[in-house]
Amino acid sequence: MIRGAPKVAEGLANPHNNFGLLRLVMAIAVVVSHAFSVTDGRVEQEPWFHTSGFTLGEHAVNGFFAISGFLVTMSFVRRGWRDYVLARLLRIAPGLIAATLVVALVLGAAMSSLDLGGYFRDARLWRFIEGTLVSFKSAAALPGVFEHNPLQFPMGTVWTLKYETLCYIGVLVAGLAGLLAKPRLMLAAAAALTLAVVLREVVVPHGSKGTETALRLPLIFLVGGLCYLYREKVPLSLPLLALAVLALVPLSFTPLYKAALFLVTAWGVLVLALAPALTRRSVEPPADLSYGVYLYGWPAQQALHALFPGLAAVALLWPSLLATLLVAALSWFLIEKPALGLKRRLLRAR
């Protein structure tokens, strides 16, 4: 099952992969998950939360971090630090800046209970823009906006960009220090993070969610990067993945469950992205809407819930998803794609 399985390096050599498709599916999964929490402010009613201990949105974010760790590690190894830094900035910053300004200056102004003059004079508006762009603050509210919603903040997903940026910096530092050429040291770091996750479950199983997240996302990102560094050895086995998922069931009653879940997720997403059995034909979306869907899904759902507070989660989902996809398409074609084109021109010039 393992010996005969193709390796990650073989998957990368194929002309097609499923990275774009998986990112879009996971971004939509985040929107589906948030339809529950937007309507009543709680995640307990979401089915995935009861079956796995994590919401569908959290599982999707885990998958994002696995793919990101793999791709950005590959980017640094192949391109070097200058190209790496430019690529990261132009992929993340333009879309985030545009989304923040659209939500704050257009959606917020339209939805606020304040008059336009009072809204634009309110210091909270400018603090919101600064906090979102500088520190990825996701719990900030806009003046007079979504006041009667269970959760009032309009950019509820940007908090993950803080961890994403820290992980990017970690790859940059590790690369400049030569650690990416010493994968055993990176493997030791992943083992230490895994042990920390297990110990947390033993010592404080119901401890701070923030501490768990601070361990979970870097671990998954790092494992994704390790799958690239050990690309000649890591197998792409669908039967082995199925067995690993089944093994999570008995582990769910032990302190090993979360660590095992994070490791299986990180590797499993890459199996789905690269396994030759799944990549014989191109299934890549014609446009990369995943980032826009991730950024705009929450404010679209908040706005619809404010306008139609009686809608249940399932009823809210479909119109909010349609609106999100439309705005994400505008973001891609007007902001993100031109920024990526600028990146290519700058790299060619250099």
Side-chain angles (χ1 to χ4, degrees):
M1 187 179 295
I2 297 179
R3 287 185 179 181
K7 303 301 187 289
V8 167
E10 297 174 55
L12 285 173
N14 290 334
H16 308 303
N17 61 63
N18 295 327
F19 283 122
L21 176 63
L22 286 172
R23 282 198 299 258
L24 179 58
V25 169
M26 290 186 294
I28 291 174
V30 171
V31 178
V32 172
S33 178
H34 286 162
F36 293 90
S37 53
V38 163
T39 53
D40 68 358
R42 299 180 297 115
V43 301
E44 290 82 1
Q45 63 171 318
E46 194 199 286
W48 278 85
F49 181 80
H50 292 289
T51 57
S52 67
F54 293 91
T55 67
L56 179 62
E58 288 173 320
H59 285 294
V61 168
N62 291 347
F64 272 124
F65 271 73
I67 291 176
S68 183
F70 182 89
L71 293 179
V72 302
T73 301
M74 180 172 67
S75 173
F76 188 97
V77 172
R78 290 183 173 182
R79 298 177 181 179
W81 74 269
R82 292 182 181 86
D83 292 4
Y84 172 84
V85 170
L86 181 62
R88 294 306 97 217
L89 284 173
L90 290 178
R91 185 64 187 101
I92 296 297
L96 175 63
I97 293 171
T100 303
L101 296 180
V102 166
V103 169
L105 303 181
V106 180
L107 179 64
M111 299 291 296
S112 178
S113 59
L114 305 180
D115 62 84
L116 278 180
Y119 180 76
F120 284 106
R121 287 192 301 269
D122 198 304
R124 289 175 293 174
L125 167 63
W126 309 105
R127 286 200 300 268
F128 170 86
I129 294 174
E130 178 185 2
T132 303
L133 295 179
V134 175
S135 59
F136 308 112
K137 188 175 181 180
S138 62
L142 285 169
V145 178
F146 306 145
E147 290 177 313
H148 303 294
N149 284 14
L151 302 171
Q152 297 179 5
F153 41 89
M155 292 287 284
T157 59
V158 298
W159 66 270
T160 63
L161 297 180
K162 173 179 64 178
Y163 290 98
E164 186 91 3
T165 300
L166 290 173
C167 289
Y168 289 167
I169 294 172
V171 170
L172 178 63
V173 172
L176 292 175
L179 298 180
L180 297 183
K182 302 174 181 177
R184 289 186 179 180
L185 292 178
M186 306 301 290
L187 187 60
L193 276 174
T194 303
L195 179 61
V197 171
V198 175
L199 289 177
R200 179 189 175 279
E201 290 302 299
V202 172
V203 178
V204 282
H206 304 293
S208 167
K209 188 72 172 179
T211 303
E212 179 187 271
T213 301
L215 294 172
R216 168 171 58 98
L217 297 182
L219 172 60
I220 293 172
F221 185 95
L222 180 54
V223 172
L226 282 169
C227 286
Y228 177 76
L229 296 179
Y230 284 97
R231 57 193 176 277
E232 302 290 345
K233 298 180 179 180
V234 176
L236 298 172
S237 172
L238 292 170
L240 184 61
L241 175 58
L243 288 177
V245 172
L246 289 175
L248 292 175
V249 176
L251 288 177
S252 63
F253 303 99
T254 75
L256 300 175
Y257 167 67
K258 289 183 179 179
L261 174 66
F262 303 156
L263 297 177
V264 170
T265 298
W267 169 67
V269 168
L270 298 174
V271 172
L272 297 179
L274 293 169
L278 302 177
T279 60
R280 292 192 177 98
R281 295 182 180 180
S282 175
V283 290
E284 288 295 275
D288 187 359
L289 305 186
S290 58
Y291 189 38
V293 169
Y294 186 75
L295 288 175
Y296 289 102
W298 181 275
Q301 289 176 313
Q302 286 280 65
L304 280 172
H305 183 68
L307 293 172
F308 307 101
L311 283 181
V314 176
L316 173 74
L317 171 62
W318 301 111
S320 66
L321 184 56
L322 177 60
T324 299
L325 288 169
L326 290 174
V327 178
L330 292 175
S331 175
W332 170 251
F333 288 110
L334 298 180
I335 306 296
E336 299 166 58
K337 188 176 180 180
L340 293 176
L342 173 63
K343 177 188 74 174
R344 287 189 286 269
R345 291 194 296 272
L346 291 174
L347 293 183
R348 281 199 300 268
R350 193 179 69 81

